[in-house]
Amino acid sequence: MKLLTLFCILLLSFSCSKSTNAQEPETSTDLKLIWEENFDGASLNKTDWNLELGNGCPNNCGWGNNERQVYTTNNHQIKDGKLIITAKKEGDKYTSTRMTTQNKHQFQYGTIEARAKLPIGQGIWPAFWMLGANISEVGWPQCGEIDILEYVGKEPETVYTTIHTTDTHGENASSQKTPFKNIEEGFHTYKVNWTAEKIEFLVDNKLVYTYAPLEKTESNWPFNKPQFILLNMAIGGNFGGPEVDDSIFPQEYIVDYIKVYQTK
């Protein structure tokens, strides 16, 4: 009887241990790499990426934020396994690059990560972000937007991570502003862990913000549908400006890689 009691205690202890472990957050061994961009080719792979051109007109002049740049095909290059987006002042205009995986790669849930080096200076506004793949049907902000990284040169040593939905968008977006000393020096990682319940934002694997509305509706949680990836460097605008220091140009936004993981 004593042996039976001891066996039951050991069995209960083992069961509790397994239950506790099941609640632990996912580790790298729980995840499978499903897509990556290492920028290893001689030029941008057009089967993976679209280049968006111009100033957003006529439908979205200033790209919706009174931005000053014109996007071209000439402001980026692939060099030494890295994407280099260069913002320039050319005569009386500013030029830069905006690229997306729209209609080529879209993802629903997972860990989406980039390793990047930021540009600096008043007026600079680089970003690594996502938009709902249904944006052509429902528009913005109904499609939802996940800003994994935004940096504005007028606020050095600071990283913004933001969610835009129908309920909270634009100036009223759900956002976190996090100080990071020397974030402009060298490369850093920016990522989200996106599940059906929440979106966690991390910088250099440090959790900086979690978006998880308790009662999810179409207005506050459009994130149960696929999204595509965007990279761009804007200049000026409602968030990055309005002032722009012309003496800073050219400026480089360098991306080492982008990786997307999902649960095995």
Side-chain angles (χ1 to χ4, degrees):
M1 191 69 176
K2 289 183 178 179
L3 288 176
L4 181 60
T5 302
L6 178 60
F7 175 77
C8 290
I9 291 172
L10 290 173
L11 181 61
L12 179 60
S13 175
F14 177 76
S15 298
C16 290
S17 174
K18 293 293 285 183
S19 176
T20 300
N21 290 338
Q23 302 303 313
E24 293 176 357
E26 292 175 350
T27 66
S28 58
T29 58
D30 300 318
L31 301 174
K32 176 183 178 181
L33 180 66
I34 64 166
W35 186 74
E36 63 182 323
E37 172 61 273
N38 290 304
F39 303 109
D40 289 333
S43 60
L44 193 67
N45 189 340
K46 297 298 180 62
T47 63
D48 292 324
W49 295 98
N50 313 292
L51 288 174
E52 296 193 326
L53 307 177
N55 61 1
C57 290
N59 298 323
N60 196 26
C61 291
W63 299 99
N65 299 293
N66 294 311
E67 299 161 25
R68 300 194 193 185
Q69 78 286 339
V70 174
Y71 290 122
T72 80
T73 60
N74 304 315
N75 286 73
H76 72 278
Q77 61 176 318
I78 307 294
K79 184 178 179 181
D80 299 327
K82 295 177 176 61
L83 168 71
I84 304 173
I85 295 176
T86 304
K88 304 175 183 178
K89 176 74 186 301
E90 302 184 79
D92 60 353
K93 69 177 182 180
Y94 303 94
T95 59
S96 186
T97 291
R98 173 169 163 140
M99 47 195 281
T100 86
T101 66
Q102 187 175 18
N103 299 322
K104 295 180 177 179
H105 297 287
Q106 59 188 36
F107 310 97
Q108 183 175 342
Y109 309 137
T111 294
I112 300 95
E113 174 183 353
R115 182 173 183 263
K117 185 178 188 300
L118 299 173
I120 59 173
Q122 175 79 35
I124 288 295
W125 179 8
F128 168 49
W129 51 304
M130 304 182 76
L131 283 171
N134 61 348
I135 188 171
S136 298
E137 291 76 47
V138 303
W140 184 93
Q142 288 85 354
C143 66
E145 177 178 329
I146 304 172
D147 296 329
I148 306 171
L149 158 69
E150 285 185 293
Y151 171 87
V152 287
K154 65 184 179 183
E155 296 185 54
E157 300 188 330
T158 303
V159 173
Y160 281 88
T161 47
T162 303
I163 289 289
H164 296 271
T165 69
T166 302
D167 278 358
T168 57
H169 62 273
E171 293 182 357
N172 298 312
S174 299
S175 184
Q176 177 68 39
K177 174 181 175 180
T178 308
F180 272 92
K181 189 170 180 60
N182 300 323
I183 194 69
E184 297 85 0
E185 297 181 9
F187 285 82
H188 300 270
T189 58
Y190 307 90
K191 70 180 178 181
V192 290
N193 293 329
W194 172 22
T195 72
E197 300 302 321
K198 62 184 177 180
I199 302 175
E200 297 176 329
F201 294 80
L202 301 95
V203 178
D204 289 338
N205 290 316
K206 175 186 176 182
L207 180 65
V208 297
Y209 178 48
T210 300
Y211 179 76
L214 294 178
E215 294 186 14
K216 293 178 172 58
T217 66
E218 290 185 6
S219 295
N220 68 17
W221 188 259
F223 305 113
N224 55 354
K225 299 179 179 67
Q227 297 223 335
F228 61 87
I229 293 172
L230 301 92
L231 285 170
N232 73 296
M233 176 159 47
I235 301 168
N238 300 339
F239 191 43
E243 293 82 11
V244 178
D245 179 2
D246 290 346
S247 69
I248 67 173
F249 296 103
Q251 281 294 317
E252 293 182 343
Y253 176 28
I254 307 175
V255 182
D256 184 16
Y257 65 74
I258 298 172
K259 296 183 179 182
V260 180
Y261 300 85
Q262 288 185 342
T263 304
K264 292 180 180 178

